[in-house]
Amino acid sequence: MDEDNDLIYLAGGPLAAIVLGMGLSSLRSLTPASNFAFVFMALTIVVAEFGGRRAAVATALTSALSLDFFLTEPYLRLTIEDKHDVIAFAGLAVCGLIAAAFGSQRSRRESDLDRANAHLDLLHFSLRRVEEAGPPETAVSDIVKAMRGALPVSAVVVRDERGHVIAASERGPSVPTAAHALAAESLLASGEAGFAPRGQPFPVDGGRIELYFGNRRVGALEVWGNGSPASEEDRRTLADLARAVGAVAAAHRTHTG
């Protein structure tokens, strides 16, 4: 949904800049072209706030061209005669790009905050399900469903220490066994070193995290990435969830004997 919204502003912002230039052309004899730059600047700031960096940059550049084409002499040509209009054109382009950069950073921070809140909600829900009474299988199943909705994964499967499935997401039963063993902390495939490159997705062919409780292996959590970038926060949340699922898997082990 956010991507569709960004595409709307990517197309609508530059179009609005062109329409704005056409609309202001009836006033160009009343005031210098430099005064119109503020209107285009306001448009760029609005687009940066709601449409992100790409849309804001496209709007800023189109605004400068619209100012040149419609509001500076010679009109309806991409040339400028007056040096003051050249300064207005360059100033609008530079300030528009600055506004686009700062506005998009604010949108990104808000997006990161929303994602962090979603992770906290997921962890809170998972811990509450661990504490609640009831069959362990039901708790694991609820946690697995919540994971698929909040993390960049396409399928999740939880197995006991014998390899039997305790719970699986909607696509879980149709996927093959996970191809990689993942380190619980860094969530890198076995054989890799260091930390995951920034934004590297979870393995699309599956990764397996061994589950332990009280230093005893109680099963495995298998995840399949959906191709979307996995942030540091995504990896940390998944590692914490593996601990919670390990506690529930231990209860399942006791429950089944």
Coordinates of all heavy atoms in Angstrom, one line a residue, residues 44-80:
T44 N 6.7 21.2 -3.2 CA 7.7 20.2 -3.0 C 7.7 19.7 -1.6 O 7.9 18.5 -1.4 CB 9.1 20.8 -3.4 OG1 9.1 21.2 -4.8 CG2 10.2 19.7 -3.2
I45 N 7.6 20.6 -0.6 CA 7.6 20.1 0.8 C 6.4 19.2 1.1 O 6.5 18.2 1.8 CB 7.5 21.4 1.7 CG1 8.8 22.2 1.6 CG2 7.3 21.0 3.1 CD1 8.8 23.5 2.3
V46 N 5.2 19.5 0.5 CA 4.0 18.7 0.7 C 4.3 17.3 0.1 O 4.0 16.2 0.7 CB 2.8 19.3 0.1 CG1 1.6 18.3 0.1 CG2 2.4 20.6 0.9
V47 N 4.8 17.2 -1.1 CA 5.1 16.0 -1.8 C 6.1 15.2 -1.0 O 6.0 13.9 -0.8 CB 5.5 16.2 -3.2 CG1 5.9 14.9 -3.9 CG2 4.3 16.8 -4.0
A48 N 7.2 15.8 -0.5 CA 8.2 15.2 0.3 C 7.6 14.5 1.5 O 8.0 13.4 1.9 CB 9.3 16.1 0.6
E49 N 6.7 15.2 2.2 CA 6.1 14.7 3.4 C 5.3 13.5 3.2 O 5.3 12.5 4.0 CB 5.2 15.8 4.0 CG 4.5 15.4 5.3 CD 5.5 15.3 6.5 OE1 6.6 15.8 6.4 OE2 5.1 14.6 7.4
F50 N 4.5 13.4 2.1 CA 3.6 12.3 1.9 C 4.0 11.3 0.8 O 3.6 10.2 0.9 CB 2.2 12.9 1.5 CG 1.5 13.7 2.5 CD1 1.6 15.1 2.5 CD2 0.9 13.1 3.6 CE1 0.9 15.8 3.5 CE2 0.3 13.8 4.6 CZ 0.3 15.2 4.5
G51 N 4.9 11.7 -0.1 CA 5.3 10.8 -1.1 C 6.7 10.3 -1.1 O 7.0 9.4 -1.9
G52 N 7.6 10.7 -0.2 CA 8.9 10.2 -0.1 C 9.9 10.9 -1.0 O 9.6 11.9 -1.7
R53 N 11.1 10.5 -1.0 CA 12.2 11.2 -1.7 C 12.1 11.2 -3.2 O 12.3 12.2 -3.8 CB 13.6 10.5 -1.3 CG 14.8 11.1 -2.0 CD 16.1 10.5 -1.5 NE 16.4 11.0 -0.2 CZ 17.4 10.7 0.5 NH1 18.3 9.9 -0.1 NH2 17.6 11.1 1.7
R54 N 11.8 10.0 -3.8 CA 11.8 10.0 -5.3 C 10.8 11.0 -5.8 O 11.0 11.8 -6.8 CB 11.5 8.6 -5.8 CG 12.6 7.6 -5.6 CD 12.3 6.3 -6.3 NE 11.0 5.8 -5.9 CZ 10.3 4.8 -6.5 NH1 10.8 4.3 -7.6 NH2 9.2 4.4 -6.0
A55 N 9.6 11.0 -5.2 CA 8.5 11.9 -5.7 C 8.9 13.4 -5.4 O 8.6 14.2 -6.3 CB 7.2 11.6 -4.9
A56 N 9.5 13.6 -4.3 CA 9.9 15.0 -4.0 C 11.0 15.5 -4.9 O 10.9 16.7 -5.4 CB 10.4 15.1 -2.5
V57 N 12.0 14.7 -5.2 CA 13.0 15.1 -6.2 C 12.4 15.4 -7.6 O 12.8 16.4 -8.2 CB 14.1 14.0 -6.3 CG1 15.1 14.3 -7.4 CG2 14.9 14.0 -4.9
A58 N 11.6 14.5 -8.0 CA 10.9 14.7 -9.3 C 10.1 16.0 -9.3 O 10.1 16.7 -10.3 CB 10.1 13.5 -9.6
T59 N 9.4 16.2 -8.2 CA 8.6 17.4 -8.1 C 9.5 18.7 -8.1 O 9.2 19.7 -8.8 CB 7.7 17.4 -6.9 OG1 6.9 16.2 -6.9 CG2 6.8 18.6 -6.8
A60 N 10.6 18.6 -7.4 CA 11.5 19.8 -7.3 C 12.1 20.1 -8.7 O 12.1 21.3 -9.1 CB 12.6 19.5 -6.3
L61 N 12.5 19.1 -9.4 CA 13.1 19.4 -10.7 C 12.1 19.9 -11.7 O 12.3 20.8 -12.5 CB 13.8 18.1 -11.3 CG 15.0 17.6 -10.4 CD1 15.5 16.3 -11.0 CD2 16.1 18.7 -10.4
T62 N 10.9 19.2 -11.7 CA 9.8 19.7 -12.6 C 9.3 21.1 -12.3 O 9.0 21.8 -13.1 CB 8.6 18.7 -12.5 OG1 9.1 17.4 -12.7 CG2 7.6 19.0 -13.5
S63 N 9.3 21.4 -11.0 CA 8.9 22.8 -10.5 C 9.9 23.8 -11.1 O 9.5 24.9 -11.6 CB 8.9 22.9 -9.0 OG 7.9 22.1 -8.5
A64 N 11.2 23.5 -11.1 CA 12.2 24.5 -11.6 C 12.0 24.6 -13.1 O 12.0 25.8 -13.7 CB 13.6 24.0 -11.3
L65 N 11.7 23.5 -13.8 CA 11.5 23.6 -15.3 C 10.1 24.3 -15.6 O 10.0 25.1 -16.6 CB 11.5 22.2 -15.9 CG 12.8 21.5 -15.8 CD1 12.6 20.0 -16.3 CD2 13.8 22.2 -16.7
S66 N 9.1 24.1 -14.7 CA 7.8 24.7 -15.0 C 8.0 26.2 -14.7 O 7.4 27.0 -15.5 CB 6.8 24.1 -14.0 OG 5.5 24.7 -14.2
L67 N 8.7 26.6 -13.7 CA 9.0 28.1 -13.5 C 9.7 28.7 -14.7 O 9.3 29.8 -15.2 CB 9.9 28.2 -12.3 CG 10.3 29.7 -11.9 CD1 9.1 30.5 -11.4 CD2 11.5 29.6 -10.9
D68 N 10.7 28.0 -15.2 CA 11.4 28.5 -16.4 C 10.5 28.6 -17.6 O 10.4 29.6 -18.3 CB 12.6 27.6 -16.7 CG 13.4 27.9 -17.9 OD1 13.2 29.0 -18.4 OD2 14.1 27.1 -18.4
F69 N 9.7 27.5 -17.9 CA 8.9 27.4 -19.1 C 7.8 28.4 -19.2 O 7.5 29.0 -20.2 CB 8.5 26.0 -19.3 CG 7.8 25.7 -20.6 CD1 8.7 25.5 -21.8 CD2 6.5 25.6 -20.8 CE1 8.1 25.2 -23.0 CE2 5.9 25.3 -22.0 CZ 6.7 25.1 -23.1
F70 N 7.0 28.5 -18.0 CA 5.8 29.2 -18.0 C 6.0 30.7 -17.5 O 5.2 31.5 -17.8 CB 4.7 28.5 -17.2 CG 4.3 27.2 -17.8 CD1 4.6 26.0 -17.2 CD2 3.4 27.2 -18.9 CE1 4.2 24.8 -17.7 CE2 3.0 26.0 -19.5 CZ 3.4 24.8 -18.9
L71 N 6.9 30.9 -16.6 CA 6.9 32.1 -15.9 C 8.1 33.0 -16.1 O 8.2 34.1 -15.5 CB 6.8 31.8 -14.4 CG 5.6 31.0 -14.0 CD1 5.6 30.6 -12.5 CD2 4.3 31.8 -14.3
T72 N 9.1 32.6 -16.8 CA 10.3 33.5 -17.1 C 10.4 33.7 -18.6 O 10.0 32.9 -19.5 CB 11.6 32.8 -16.7 OG1 11.8 31.6 -17.4 CG2 11.6 32.6 -15.2
E73 N 10.8 34.9 -19.0 CA 11.0 35.3 -20.4 C 12.2 34.6 -21.0 O 13.3 34.6 -20.3 CB 11.0 36.8 -20.5 CG 9.8 37.5 -20.1 CD 9.8 39.0 -20.3 OE1 10.9 39.5 -20.7 OE2 8.8 39.7 -20.1
P74 N 12.2 34.2 -22.3 CA 11.0 34.1 -23.1 C 10.1 33.0 -22.7 O 10.5 31.9 -22.4 CB 11.6 33.9 -24.5 CG 12.9 33.1 -24.2 CD 13.4 33.7 -22.9
Y75 N 8.8 33.3 -22.7 CA 7.8 32.3 -22.2 C 7.7 31.2 -23.2 O 7.9 31.3 -24.4 CB 6.5 33.0 -22.1 CG 6.5 34.2 -21.1 CD1 6.1 35.5 -21.5 CD2 6.9 34.0 -19.8 CE1 6.1 36.5 -20.6 CE2 7.0 35.1 -18.9 CZ 6.5 36.3 -19.3 OH 6.6 37.3 -18.4
L76 N 7.3 30.0 -22.6 CA 7.1 28.8 -23.3 C 8.4 28.3 -24.0 O 8.3 27.6 -25.1 CB 6.0 28.9 -24.4 CG 4.6 29.4 -23.8 CD1 3.6 29.4 -24.9 CD2 4.2 28.5 -22.6
R77 N 9.5 28.6 -23.5 CA 10.8 28.1 -24.0 C 11.7 27.8 -22.7 O 11.6 28.5 -21.7 CB 11.5 29.1 -24.9 CG 10.8 29.4 -26.2 CD 11.5 30.4 -27.0 NE 12.8 30.0 -27.3 CZ 13.7 30.9 -27.9 NH1 13.3 32.1 -28.3 NH2 14.9 30.4 -28.2
L78 N 12.5 26.8 -22.9 CA 13.4 26.5 -21.7 C 14.7 27.3 -21.8 O 15.8 26.7 -21.7 CB 13.7 25.0 -21.7 CG 12.5 24.1 -21.4 CD1 12.9 22.6 -21.5 CD2 12.0 24.4 -20.0
T79 N 14.6 28.6 -22.0 CA 15.7 29.5 -21.9 C 15.4 30.7 -21.0 O 14.2 31.0 -20.8 CB 16.1 30.0 -23.3 OG1 14.9 30.6 -23.9 CG2 16.6 28.9 -24.2
I80 N 16.4 31.3 -20.5 CA 16.1 32.4 -19.5 C 17.0 33.6 -20.0 O 18.2 33.5 -20.2 CB 16.5 32.0 -18.1 CG1 15.7 30.8 -17.7 CG2 16.2 33.2 -17.1 CD1 16.1 30.3 -16.3

